[in-house]
Amino acid sequence: APAGRTALGGERGSEGGGRAKLVGEVWTARTEPDAPQIPVGTEVRVVRIDGATAVVAPLPAQHPTGS
């Protein structure tokens, strides 16, 4: 899971951890210790890989253009 890729946050675990689906594979994932919890189903960005765990952060909110 290369850093910078996007993933979909899956089931939530404890201590800021859970799972994320990245390119069809389910990875163990967690946020940085000081980051807020990410709701299940949120699109996230892989910040880095720590062993076999993807460290993730939420993507910035997308604002529609036009109208």
Side-chain angles (χ1 to χ4, degrees):
R5 300 286 305 253
T6 58
L8 187 62
E11 72 184 60
R12 186 177 301 151
S14 60
E15 306 283 327
R19 303 219 181 268
K21 190 169 187 175
L22 176 65
V23 193
E25 294 183 351
V26 177
W27 281 69
T28 299
R30 67 173 176 81
T31 58
E32 295 289 359
D34 58 345
Q37 278 200 333
I38 299 171
V40 172
T42 300
E43 195 169 15
V44 296
R45 177 178 53 88
V46 178
V47 176
R48 63 187 168 86
I49 301 301
D50 183 10
T53 300
V55 179
V56 300
L59 289 177
Q62 300 290 319
H63 298 287
T65 58
S67 296

